[in-house]
């Protein structure tokens, strides 16, 4: 086991993938000589050469379209999109080609393309550098969408994504790149490793299920700790929160969430992305369907607002934080009025 | 000064051709015209070989007519005719090796024919029994792209892959004049030049993008763009099968030898509608069409072969018979197709098991079965 940052874990994961399979290619803007703007690809070009770790001309549609052609030829391209807000020029290639070619060719052509996207806010960046576009891709059949929250998951899941024969959008929580953690670099080869499509119970609890992913997992863990410690008026005030890291956004491991909600009877979902049409909306609908008779309160969502990601001096208000999450927890507990109490005529 | 954008468009003269005169080896009357250095590239094409190219032209035109009839009879949902573009497609596709790879759009049915795509498989897209007809790896031709221009990038990427693998195969991207406006085609040219990819950009300038004339896409000959990307280009008479063959052979040879990409603009004309749903009488000047009818790609080969004594009535009749047989096979392959079972629509969304799809398939299967139980 080694302690490393999430960014370093990704770097180590890419190095292993390149060594593991010589059909793996790394492609992106500034990823070669520079090592990527977040240094996730640092040193890889030097080690594996410019034919395996390729700096790309500055055109996202071009990069993804080239990856499609390479996949046709039997390669496994790993593409870095420099920032979340720059994925849109490649949207057509991803949604129309990468996602659908396996289906359109009746399984004859595989698109084992991994698309790495640093995503989310909280680093005080200028516009187009803090977006959470995951729902666009989760909505698209043919794509898998995953995100990691720890160095260990970063290391393991990225290798799983690259080995997967389907295209995977791999969202990296950029404000957690510098988070450190223990990494077992051989975890991928072990039988008990969690498959890429599964959610993980991070903190066990009994009163409320709190589901989140990516950058907010750390916030959720803090919220659970704070809620457990809230015993000013004795144990009765403490709330036991079960935190679930979704890890996979398409498909969602609904069973793990269902099992938790069947136990707690309460559900709070948190994500940075805008609320409308988000992962939380979908999960709330699914859980309402499957856990209707277990639910003690309406599922609550804590999300970014339906505004473009705001200027950095606003982001602390835009991003769900510990207090907003605990506020939602309190509402499911009946300690605060429901948001729409009395709204039904 | 024109007062509106549309007036300024309409008052502009049609683009002339300051670029090289298009390469032509057979003139519209069938006369062989010399054109160095391209003569060398077809010096080996004997009379019999030209006759077999002629047979291809006749067959693909016959198939196209049959498919149009099938659409009119309600057997196909849609068909994009290639009438007039036979030479551009056959002349280029016949040059390729089996290990080369084609990325085309929807109108390249003659290319598909030359690649060995089964006639039935060519039709199921248009009949709606599948999203694509064939296994790309069996014929070296990808599923046709409906989204305009996207395939230029895929061809470029494939070509880079071939180069990385140390092979001397080439990739060919077929697209229309309208497609050259798309970012993807332009991005493909930047990338191809940067990586010296063994890719041929084969543009069939058939003068129209549905109802829009090429002058709305380009104020200069389309082939003029490529040199700006660092890619050599050539204009060719797209209705001259021999000339198309020559320029494609040259481009392919250069690509195989590490010379990188070439852009070919085949100047041709779409004699029919864009698709069977289109009404060209709304936008095509009948005089223009008539002018192009005088440059028919089949007539000139026929005249040439008859003049050379290779083609006589007996051979022409046997070629026509073979074309009729292909058309009959085409028709049978179309009408005999059955609808796929409902649950098959869930197949192949993913390569590996996917809990979301598996669950929806199960639920829909149970729903369907519930009706069977009622009956
Ligand atoms: C991205 C995109 N936009 C619009 C269309 C609708 N469309 C289908 S064919 C066509 C014209 C294409 O013209 P061109 O590239 O010259 O090819 P041609 O049909 O003449 O072979 C259009 C606009 C499309 N298929 N894809």
């Amino acid at each position: 086991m080694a302690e490393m940052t999430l960014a370093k874990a990704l770097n180590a994961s890419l190095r292993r993938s390149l060594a593991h399979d010589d059909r793996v290619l790394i492609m992106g803007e500034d990823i070669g000589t520079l090592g990527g703007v977040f240094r996730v690809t640092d040193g890889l070009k030097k080690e594996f050469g410019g034919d395996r770790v390729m700096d790309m001309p500055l055109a996202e549609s071009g990069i993804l379209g080239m990856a499609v052609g390479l996949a046709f030829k039997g390669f496994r391209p790993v593409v870095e999109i420099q920032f979340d807000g720059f994925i849109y020029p490649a949207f057509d290639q991803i949604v129309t080609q990468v996602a659908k070619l396996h289906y359109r060719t009746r399984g004859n052509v595989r698109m084992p393309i991994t698309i790495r996207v640093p995503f989310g806010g909280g680093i005080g960046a200028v516009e187009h550098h803090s977006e959470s576009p995951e729902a666009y891709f989760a909505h698209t059949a043919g794509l898998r969408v995953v995100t990691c929250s720890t160095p260990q998951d970063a290391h393991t899941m990225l290798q799983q994504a690259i080995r997967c024969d389907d295209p995977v959008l791999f969202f990296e929580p950029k404000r957690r790149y510098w988070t450190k953690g223990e990494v077992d670099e051989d975890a991928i080869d072990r039988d008990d490793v969690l498959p890429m499509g599964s959610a993980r119970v991070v903190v066990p609890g009994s009163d409320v299920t709190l589901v989140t992913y990516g950058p907010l997992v750390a916030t959720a863990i803090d919220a659970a700790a704070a809620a457990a410690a809230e015993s000013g008026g004795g144990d009765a005030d403490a709330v036991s929160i079960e935190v679930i890291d979704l890890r996979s956004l398409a498909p969602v491991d609904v069973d793990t969430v269902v099992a938790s909600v069947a136990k707690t009877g309460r559900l709070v979902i948190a994500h940075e992305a805008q609320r409308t049409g988000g992962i939380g909306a979908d999960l709330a609908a699914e859980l309402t369907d499957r856990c209707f008779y277990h639910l003690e309160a309406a599922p609550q969502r804590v999300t970014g607002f339906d505004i473009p990601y705001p200027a950095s001096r606003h982001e602390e208000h835009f991003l769900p934080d510990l207090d907003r999450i605990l506020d939602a927890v309190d509402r499911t507990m009946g300690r605060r009025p429901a948001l729409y109490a009395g709204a039904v005529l | 000064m024109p007062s509106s954008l549309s007036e300024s468009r309409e008052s502009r003269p049609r683009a002339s051709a300051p670029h090289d005169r298009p390469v032509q080896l057979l003139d519209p009357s069938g006369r062989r015209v010399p054109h160095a250095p391209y003569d060398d590239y077809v010096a080996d094409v004997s009379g019999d070989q030209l006759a077999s190219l002629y047979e291809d032209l006749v067959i693909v035109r016959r198939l196209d007519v049959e498919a149009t009839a099938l659409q009119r009879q309600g057997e196909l949902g849609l068909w994009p005719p290639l009438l007039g573009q036979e030479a551009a497609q056959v002349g280029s596709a016949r040059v390729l090796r089996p290990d080369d790879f084609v990325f085309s759009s929807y109108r390249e049915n003659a290319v598909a024919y030359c690649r060995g795509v089964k006639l039935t498989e060519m039709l199921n897209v248009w009949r709606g029994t599948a999203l694509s007809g064939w296994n790309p790896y069996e014929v070296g031709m990808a599923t046709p792209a409906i989204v305009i221009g996207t395939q230029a990038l895929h061809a470029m990427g494939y070509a880079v892959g071939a180069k990385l693998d140390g092979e001397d195969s080439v990739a060919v991207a077929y697209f229309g004049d309208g497609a050259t406006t798309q970012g993807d085609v332009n991005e493909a040219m930047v990338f191809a030049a940067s990586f010296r990819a063994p890719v041929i950009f084969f543009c069939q300038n058939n003068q129209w993008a549905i109802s829009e004339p090429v002058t709305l896409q380009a104020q200069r000959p389309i082939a003029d763009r490529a040199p700006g990307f660092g890619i050599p280009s050539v204009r060719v008479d797209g209705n001259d099968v021999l000339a198309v063959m020559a320029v494609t052979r040259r481009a392919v040879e250069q690509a195989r030898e590490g010379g990188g990409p070439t852009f070919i603009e085949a100047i041709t004309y779409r004699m029919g509608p864009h698709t069977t749903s289109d009404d060209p009488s709304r936008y095509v000047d009948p005089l223009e069409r008539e002018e192009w009818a005088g440059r028919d790609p089949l007539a000139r080969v026929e005249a040439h072969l008859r003049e050379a004594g290779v083609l006589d009535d007996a051979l022409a009749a046997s070629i026509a018979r073979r074309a009729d047989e292909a058309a009959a096979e085409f028709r049978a392959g179309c009408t005999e197709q059955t609808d796929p079972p409902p649950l098959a629509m869930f197949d192949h969304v993913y390569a590996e098991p996917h809990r979301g799809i598996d669950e929806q398939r199960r639920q829909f299967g149970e729903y369907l079965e519930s009706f069977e139980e009622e009956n």
Side-chain angles (χ1 to χ4, degrees):
Chain A
M1 297 274 263
E3 169 147 294
M4 57 179 90
T5 63
L6 193 146
K8 266 271 177 275
L10 292 167
N11 178 269
S13 183
L14 289 172
R15 182 172 289 102
R16 283 207 159 209
S17 299
L18 283 162
H20 174 258
D21 182 351
D22 64 10
R23 302 307 280 177
V24 172
L25 303 174
I26 315 272
M27 311 161 64
E29 295 158 7
D30 306 300
I31 58 115
T33 306
L34 179 66
V37 292
F38 290 106
R39 305 293 182 267
V40 170
T41 53
D42 193 25
L44 299 178
K45 180 180 172 191
K46 213 165 172 190
E47 202 171 326
F48 293 93
D51 280 357
R52 304 274 319 273
V53 183
M54 299 192 277
D55 275 325
M56 288 285 112
L58 215 164
E60 285 73 14
S61 187
I63 296 169
L64 262 301
M66 178 171 167
V68 168
L70 284 163
F72 254 102
K73 190 74 185 72
F75 287 91
R76 305 182 86 85
V78 183
V79 173
E80 175 177 305
I81 296 291
Q82 204 159 64
F83 278 92
D84 36 53
F86 309 138
I87 199 168
Y88 307 113
F91 193 71
D92 166 45
Q93 284 296 328
I94 297 171
V95 166
T96 318
Q97 308 298 334
V98 175
K100 297 192 172 84
L101 268 163
H102 187 262
Y103 191 66
R104 285 164 57 204
T105 59
R106 292 194 269 185
N108 287 306
V109 179
R110 300 236 155 140
M111 287 286 130
I113 299 174
T114 303
I115 305 168
R116 295 181 35 240
V117 192
F119 85 126
I123 62 164
V126 296
E127 61 175 343
H128 310 301
H129 288 71
S130 303
E131 304 191 4
S132 300
E134 60 271 19
Y136 298 117
F137 302 100
H139 187 66
T140 299
L143 299 176
R144 293 175 190 270
V145 182
V146 303
T147 171
C148 54
S149 66
T150 64
Q152 179 69 67
D153 266 357
H155 193 277
T156 315
M157 289 174 71
L158 182 54
Q159 288 178 84
Q160 289 172 327
I162 294 169
R163 292 182 192 189
C164 178
D165 273 346
D166 290 311
V168 182
L169 270 292
F170 191 90
F171 282 98
E172 300 170 0
K174 71 167 87 77
R175 68 168 143 140
R176 308 294 182 197
Y177 270 146
W178 302 279
T179 302
K180 281 192 171 172
E182 290 287 328
V183 175
D184 171 0
E185 294 200 57
D186 298 321
I188 177 106
D189 298 321
R190 283 215 311 268
D191 292 341
D192 62 344
V193 69
L194 210 51
M196 189 175 70
S198 349
R200 183 167 61 96
V201 177
V202 184
V203 178
S206 54
D207 295 330
V208 180
T209 301
L210 171 57
V211 180
T212 188
Y213 54 86
L216 287 186
V217 173
T219 314
I221 293 170
D222 290 346
E230 227 173 59
S231 49
D235 277 349
D237 279 352
V239 178
S240 168
I241 296 178
E242 177 147 301
V243 177
I244 294 180
D245 177 359
L246 272 188
R247 296 170 82 254
S248 176
L249 310 182
V252 167
D253 177 4
V254 182
D255 292 346
T256 295
V257 185
V258 166
S260 175
V261 172
K263 181 176 70 179
T264 64
R266 297 179 184 86
L267 174 64
V268 174
I269 308 152
H271 56 62
E272 290 188 13
Q274 283 78 356
R275 167 172 300 221
T276 300
I279 302 290
D282 207 59
L283 199 57
E286 195 70 29
L287 265 294
T288 305
D289 186 8
R290 293 185 51 179
C291 294
F292 191 72
Y293 293 107
H294 291 288
L295 284 168
E296 309 272 352
Q300 298 294 312
R301 284 175 290 160
V302 189
T303 69
F305 302 105
D306 285 343
I307 59 172
Y309 194 87
S312 59
R313 296 301 171 105
H314 263 140
E315 67 184 354
E316 64 171 305
H317 302 294
F318 177 88
L319 293 172
D321 60 5
L322 188 140
D323 288 333
R324 273 171 68 198
I325 289 173
L326 289 179
D327 181 66
V329 166
D330 281 349
R331 273 184 271 121
T332 64
M333 296 292 292
R335 294 177 174 186
R336 288 172 70 89
L339 276 182
Y340 298 102
V344 180
L345 294 176
Chain B
M1 280 294 278
S3 59
S4 76
L5 197 59
S6 64
E7 270 178 51
S8 81
R9 288 271 175 227
E10 271 150 30
S11 62
R12 205 166 282 167
R14 282 186 81 87
S16 59
H19 197 96
D20 305 340
R21 194 167 58 83
V23 176
Q24 190 180 67
L25 299 180
L26 282 178
D27 77 8
S29 68
R31 205 158 34 97
R32 179 72 172 79
V33 284
H35 195 126
Y38 292 101
D39 291 325
D40 293 349
Y41 286 91
V42 288
D44 63 315
V45 178
S46 66
D48 287 348
Q49 281 167 333
L50 191 56
S52 113
L53 281 175
Y54 173 68
E55 178 176 319
D56 284 340
L57 297 177
V58 172
I59 289 176
V60 298
R61 177 169 291 184
R62 180 71 186 83
L63 293 175
D64 197 57
V65 169
E66 191 68 23
T68 302
L70 283 164
Q71 194 281 332
R72 296 294 181 232
Q73 292 157 5
E75 298 289 348
L76 296 177
L78 188 75
W79 179 255
L82 57 80
L83 188 67
Q85 299 179 219
E86 297 88 349
Q89 296 191 19
V90 169
S92 52
R94 277 293 176 227
V95 164
L96 305 177
R97 293 194 318 222
D99 63 326
D100 295 329
F101 215 92
V102 169
F103 293 82
S104 78
S105 82
Y106 44 80
R107 204 184 298 288
E108 282 75 32
N109 292 300
V111 176
Y113 173 79
C114 293
R115 295 304 281 165
V117 170
K118 290 196 196 75
L119 297 181
T120 314
E121 295 182 333
M122 218 182 285
L123 284 177
N124 55 12
V125 173
W126 307 105
R127 191 169 168 86
T129 53
L131 292 185
S132 76
W134 57 84
N135 178 348
Y137 294 117
E138 277 173 11
V139 289
M141 180 164 176
T143 307
I146 300 284
V147 178
I148 299 296
T150 191
Q151 72 277 17
L153 287 171
H154 307 163
M156 174 276 297
Y158 189 96
V160 172
K163 189 171 163 169
L164 287 174
D165 279 341
E167 296 167 2
D168 72 344
S169 58
V170 303
V172 185
Y174 283 91
F175 49 83
D177 43 294
T180 61
T181 303
Q182 287 280 353
D184 280 357
V185 173
N186 293 276
E187 291 183 21
M189 284 199 270
V190 174
F191 282 57
S194 298
F195 296 116
R196 273 183 99 70
V199 58
I200 317 299
F201 297 108
F202 194 96
C203 174
Q204 291 175 81
N205 177 358
N206 66 5
Q207 315 299 323
W208 294 99
I210 310 188
S211 68
E212 298 186 346
V214 64
T215 46
L216 189 60
Q217 319 288 341
Q219 299 307 307
R220 303 264 307 149
I222 287 171
D224 278 8
R225 286 190 195 166
F229 292 105
I231 297 176
S233 66
V234 56
R235 304 183 93 207
V236 62
D237 180 342
N239 287 14
D240 174 350
V241 74
L242 205 58
V244 172
M245 190 169 216
V247 301
T248 313
R249 273 186 170 174
R250 187 181 197 198
V252 165
E253 187 182 291
Q254 284 174 354
R256 290 201 204 292
E257 287 167 358
T262 300
F263 187 102
I264 297 171
E265 178 188 359
I267 296 153
T268 180
Y269 196 79
R270 196 193 77 209
M271 295 298 291
H274 168 67
T275 66
T276 43
S277 322
D278 180 36
D279 175 10
S281 74
R282 283 170 170 261
Y283 56 84
V284 168
D285 175 355
L287 287 177
E288 182 186 89
R289 192 183 177 284
E290 213 170 284
E291 200 180 311
W292 278 93
R295 303 176 202 158
D296 184 75
L298 276 67
R300 73 179 71 183
V301 187
E302 178 169 357
H304 180 79
L305 289 170
R306 283 196 186 267
E307 176 73 26
V310 178
L311 185 73
D312 55 15
D313 288 347
L315 182 56
S318 86
I319 288 175
R321 207 171 40 247
R322 277 199 285 279
D324 284 340
E325 284 162 14
E329 190 190 326
F330 208 39
R331 169 170 290 271
C334 176
T335 54
E336 284 163 12
Q337 277 186 40
T338 51
D339 289 352
L343 292 184
M345 73 180 170
F346 293 98
D347 292 347
H348 307 306
V349 181
Y350 293 90
E352 297 184 12
H354 184 280
R355 61 174 99 224
I357 292 288
D358 294 346
E359 180 61 17
Q360 288 182 15
R361 186 208 311 262
R362 186 191 62 75
Q363 285 178 8
F364 190 58
E366 280 179 8
Y367 169 77
L368 291 177
E369 274 171 23
S370 71
F371 289 100
E372 278 159 27
E373 278 159 21
E374 276 172 27
N375 291 337

